[in-house]
Amino acid sequence: MNITNIPSPNFYTGRNNYTPVAIVIHIMEGSLSGTDSWFSSTKSNVSAHYGIGINGDIHQYVKETDSAWHAGRVNAPSWTLIKPGENGMYINPNYYTIGIEHEGNEQSDWTALMYQSSSSLVADISKRWNISLDRDHIIGHHEIYSLKTCPGFKVDLIKLISMASGNPIGNPVSSKPQTTIQSGRATTITRLNIRSKPDRSFAPLNTVDPGIELAYDGFTIQGENVSGNSKWYFTQRGNWFWSGGVI
Ligand SMILES: [Zn+2]
């Protein structure tokens, strides 16, 4: 893999005695070259370990043994492996994650070259740090910081993980799940996210409060497996919610 080094001054030396346990996927909301200069400036106060272009180019900004500044803020995290700290705070996730930025914005389709480079890089990193290739360890930024939708609405993390695991076709369960048409109603028992695919790697389109009745047009049992339950309902508008969040 061909990696171009473009060092960023924005990082903590070392990892405060932690080691990387997960890889955080980001979208740049901009171009690779724009990100190069943004991360090169001390004014931005942000960085990531890597950036990947739509043409598959890989840039490295921070060494994996140092802590890049890509996921330091935590808000209502849905990530199962987030490390709690003292007084309801969290250990800074920058200490124990590796961040990869991707060229484009939240609504732009990922190119085949970007999937290829990103999955190869994810595979390499996971080998170096013994990180499992699954959805607990390859996560979207919004799973740590819920106020952002990064990495957006297009990337399919199941496909990325599948490709990193050595499946070149990258046939994600979430792309075309088999569905059963059966309309009905369900009531939320928790704050429930509505998504464009039956898969938490897709950022929520909106969130519904507990006690709200939702109409559905059918379901799939091939959605993302959450706590042993892969049944997701779809709505008339083609959006999805997880069956574990309703009765
Ligand atoms: Zn991000």
Side-chain angles (χ1 to χ4, degrees):
M1 213 175 336
N2 196 4
I3 298 178
T4 307
N5 273 299
I6 303 178
S8 167
N10 306 323
F11 66 91
Y12 302 122
T13 302
R15 286 184 168 277
N16 199 16
N17 294 322
Y18 294 93
T19 51
V21 300
I23 299 170
V24 181
I25 303 298
H26 299 268
I27 194 82
M28 292 174 182
E29 290 298 319
S31 67
L32 183 63
S33 61
T35 299
D36 290 351
S37 52
W38 185 236
F39 287 175
S40 297
S41 163
T42 52
K43 285 188 187 132
S44 73
N45 272 317
V46 289
S47 64
H49 294 91
Y50 297 97
I52 297 181
I54 53 175
N55 61 359
D57 283 356
I58 303 177
H59 293 178
Q60 181 161 14
Y61 307 105
V62 175
K63 287 191 294 183
E64 290 178 8
T65 47
D66 291 329
S67 305
W69 296 347
H70 65 103
R73 291 181 296 178
V74 178
N75 178 277
S78 56
W79 182 31
T80 50
L81 300 180
I82 191 105
K83 293 184 193 293
E86 288 174 2
N87 303 322
M89 306 289 280
Y90 295 93
I91 308 292
N92 187 338
N94 287 335
Y95 290 138
Y96 58 96
T97 58
I98 288 176
I100 308 179
E101 287 280 357
H102 296 80
E103 186 168 26
N105 62 55
E106 296 182 327
Q107 296 289 357
S108 53
D109 287 315
W110 279 39
T111 64
L113 289 170
M114 198 152 79
Y115 269 114
Q116 243 167 48
S117 289
S118 187
S119 60
S120 302
L121 180 61
V122 165
D124 276 16
I125 294 169
S126 69
K127 272 185 211 119
R128 273 195 286 279
W129 296 98
N130 201 17
I131 294 171
S132 303
L133 289 171
D134 58 37
R135 283 286 290 111
D136 286 330
H137 299 87
I138 314 297
I139 63 172
H141 186 190
H142 68 84
E143 294 175 68
I144 292 176
Y145 188 67
S146 69
L147 300 179
K148 289 187 93 174
T149 49
C150 176
F153 306 101
K154 293 297 186 180
V155 60
D156 187 335
L157 292 188
I158 302 288
K159 173 177 173 174
L160 188 69
I161 291 166
S162 170
M163 291 175 73
S165 307
N167 174 4
I169 302 160
N171 185 25
V173 289
S174 57
S175 66
K176 277 202 177 75
Q178 280 189 3
T179 55
T180 302
I181 306 292
Q182 184 188 91
S183 62
R185 289 180 171 274
T187 303
T188 54
I189 53 174
T190 179
R191 274 175 66 78
L192 187 64
N193 292 311
I194 310 295
R195 301 178 196 269
S196 60
K197 294 272 175 70
D199 176 348
R200 287 175 302 170
S201 62
F202 291 84
L205 301 166
N206 58 54
T207 304
V208 179
D209 281 331
I212 302 294
E213 196 176 62
L214 299 173
Y216 57 82
D217 274 18
F219 64 88
T220 182
I221 54 168
Q222 296 178 334
E224 186 202 356
N225 187 324
V226 182
S227 307
N229 179 355
S230 57
K231 182 178 178 182
W232 292 63
Y233 292 107
F234 62 89
T235 69
Q236 193 180 17
R237 299 181 62 179
N239 297 323
W240 296 84
F241 58 89
W242 178 54
S243 70
V246 295
I247 48 169

